[in-house]
């Protein structure tokens, strides 16, 4: 058995029930076969892959808090500190009822390669809780965040581990957590990113993941003789990533015709009016259904099915495994030629293979959504320097980073004989820097 297959079998055996983690590891290892086979003896001796797939540390803890009825609630809290070879652990916190250790391990594993691709000095981590922020009052969210940070603060720090937002964690939650960290430690430091602008946040961090997605999409299209202007785009989700992907796509002349949430999707053939979406989602924390009530001609459909809407470009920006083989086939049949992942692992393995086999342009999440964490790293730089850059400065750096990520993924794919396969390219390019640092640092 090859070293890669052997390690994958061990991962499945030793991490039972963690299907998303198995899926993420398999995708990366399959891509790395060529690189690993060429260096098998050296890597085996150093147990390199065994170390790469095992988190350095997982912290798991109880999060008790009191709800508005005076009832005590208990959630599970986690931080997966996956790999610190190239910098302090860096990655978001997810608050969603589906959160479990396996999902956070998949996200932490992906984060290691994504962060490496940015070219910035950040290791990989992820954390979160099965707390559901939906329907909770601001006071309940604060009580949860304070309790969560009361435990987490022991394990993080500006040069140690720097969490940020992800699903269910935005400016409100980061604010509550930052306040509690400062209160417990007495430190005013860049321990979290995605902070508010009055207390160390970076301009353009809110927009960064969505804008970055469109910058790399645009780059991929240009290098393949296409352009974004005039194209019809379908975007899933209607959270942070989906909203700012819509904004930048519209600025570059595309028409975004659909958005969704976990209840259903809206279709607006004339193009989504983003100010209405922002009011529903960012201000009122409402449901995407309300868009159809507010905009004449827009249609709301309950349930899944957003990928059956005809489009040129599809951008899954909600959650893992939201786009399966059937969806991929429907997209192609309706004329879609490009897919870029704003979410982490939104396409199933079968869907990804279908896109590649059918020569559709496909940019995987760890490259396509890296603009968020890259801008988080820029926030860390500003915090260390005690400076704040302008929106245009940060945005220009973000764009440069995304263009570079495209170039790295394309070059690695070319070098290993799979031109245009940005999945293999991104995995190999992300791997190379991490592995070099791990080999140099000895057995740790
Ligand atoms: P938000 O919480 O702002 O929005 C999430 C969106 O996805 C909502 O519309 C939500 O709908 C929908 N969604 C979440 N879970 C599910 C589910 N199980 N089924 C269907 N729809 C779902 O999160 P973000 O926009 O920040 O994150 C979206 C994706 O992007 C995630 O995969 C995240 O990991 C990834 N990402 C985020 C980055 C960031 O900087 N924020 C950076 C890189 C990647 P509902 O409101 O109904 O739950
Ligand atoms: O998945 C991701 O890259 C994020 N949620 C952003 C992480 C970060 O540290 O900004």
């Amino acid at each position: 058995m090859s070293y890669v297959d052997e390690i994958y079998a061990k991962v499945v055996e030793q991490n039972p029930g963690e299907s998303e983690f198995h899926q993420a590891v398999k995708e990366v290892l399959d891509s790395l076969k060529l690189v690993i086979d060429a260096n098998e003896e050296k890597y085996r001796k150093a147990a390199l892959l065994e170390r790469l797939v095992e988190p350095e540390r997982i912290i798991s803890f109880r999060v008790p808090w009191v709800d508005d009825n005076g009832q005590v609630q208990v959630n599970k809290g986690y931080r997966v500190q996956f790999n610190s070879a190239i910098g302090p652990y860096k990655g978001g916190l997810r608050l969603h009822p589906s959160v479990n250790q396996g999902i956070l391990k998949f996200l932490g594993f992906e984060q290691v390669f994504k962060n490496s691709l940015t070219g910035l000095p950040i290791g990989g981590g992820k954390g979160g809780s099965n707390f559901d922020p939906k329907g909770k009052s601001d006071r309940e969210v604060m009580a949860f965040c304070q309790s969560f940070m009361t435990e987490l603060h022991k394990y993080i720090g500006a040069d140690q581990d720097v969490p940020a937002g992800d699903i269910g964690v935005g400016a409100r939650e980061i604010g509550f957590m930052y306040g509690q960290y400062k209160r417990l430690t007495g430190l005013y430091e860049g321990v979290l990113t995605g902070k508010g602008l009055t207390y160390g946040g970076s301009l353009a961090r809110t927009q960064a993941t969505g804008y970055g997605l469109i910058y790399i999409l645009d780059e991929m299209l240009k290098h393949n003789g296409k352009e974004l202007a005039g194209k019809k785009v379908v975007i899933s989700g209607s959270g942070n990533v989906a909203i700012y992907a819509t904004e930048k796509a519209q600025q570059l002349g595309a028409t975004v015709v659909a958005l969704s949430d976990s209840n259903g999707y809206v279709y607006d053939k004339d193009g989504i009016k983003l100010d209405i979406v922002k009011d529903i989602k960012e201000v009122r924390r409402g449901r995407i259904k309300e868009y159809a009530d507010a905009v004449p001609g827009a249609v709301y459909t309950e349930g899944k099915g957003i990928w059956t809407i005809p489009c040129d470009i599809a951008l899954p920006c909600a959650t893992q495994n939201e786009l399966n083989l059937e969806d991929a086939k429907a997209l192609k049949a309706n004329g879609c030629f490009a897919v870029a992942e704003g979410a982490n692992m939104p396409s199933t393995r079968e869907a990804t293979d279908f896109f590649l086999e059918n020569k559709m342009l496909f940019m995987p999440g760890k490259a396509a959504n890296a603009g968020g964490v890259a801008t988080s790293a820029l926030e860390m730089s500003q915090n260390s320097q005690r400076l704040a850059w302008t929106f245009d400065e940060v945005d220009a750096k973000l764009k440069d980073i995304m263009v570079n990520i495209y170039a790295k993924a394309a070059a690695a794919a070319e070098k290993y004989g799979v031109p245009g396969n940005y999945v293999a390219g991104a995995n190999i390019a992300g791997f190379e820097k991490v592995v070099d640092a791990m080999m140099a640092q000895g057995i740790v």
Side-chain angles (χ1 to χ4, degrees), residues 90-92 111 114 126 162 164-166 193 205 344 369 372-373 376:
K90 182 84 198 84
Q111 199 82 45
K114 181 196 306 190
K126 200 84 186 190
V162 183
D166 192 77
T193 58
R205 175 63 187 89
N344 285 303
N369 69 41
V373 74
S376 279

Side-chain angles (χ1 to χ4, degrees), residues 13-141:
E13 187 196 318
Q14 295 177 356
N15 300 271
E18 298 184 341
S19 59
E20 293 87 357
F21 180 53
H22 304 166
Q23 183 185 340
V25 169
K26 182 154 180 50
E27 186 211 279
V28 170
L29 290 184
D30 283 351
S31 297
L32 294 179
K33 263 198 176 119
L34 287 168
V35 188
I36 303 282
D37 286 352
N39 296 282
E40 175 158 347
E41 210 183 306
K42 181 172 77 168
Y43 289 161
R44 260 191 199 272
K45 183 137 195 264
L48 181 86
L49 293 183
E50 286 87 337
R51 289 188 282 146
L52 198 68
V53 299
E54 190 67 38
E56 288 177 22
R57 189 176 302 103
I58 301 179
I59 298 133
S60 105
F61 49 93
R62 177 170 75 201
V63 189
W65 56 280
V66 182
D67 73 16
D68 285 348
N69 297 318
Q71 173 65 48
V72 176
Q73 301 287 343
V74 181
N75 287 102
K76 287 178 181 293
Y78 306 88
R79 185 73 181 164
V80 179
Q81 297 183 328
F82 218 111
N83 191 306
S84 62
I86 64 169
Y89 310 105
K90 182 84 198 84
L93 296 170
R94 178 176 290 191
L95 299 183
H96 192 272
S98 63
V99 163
N100 58 41
Q101 185 171 291
I103 287 181
L104 295 177
K105 278 167 70 179
F106 121 62
L107 289 163
F109 184 72
E110 290 281 295
Q111 199 82 45
V112 173
F113 302 93
K114 181 196 306 190
N115 293 4
S116 167
L117 278 173
T118 68
L120 299 167
I122 39 178
K126 200 84 186 190
S129 170
N130 60 354
F131 174 78
D132 185 0
K134 272 200 204 92
K136 303 289 192 298
S137 68
D138 285 349
R139 194 211 59 81
E140 288 176 319
V141 170

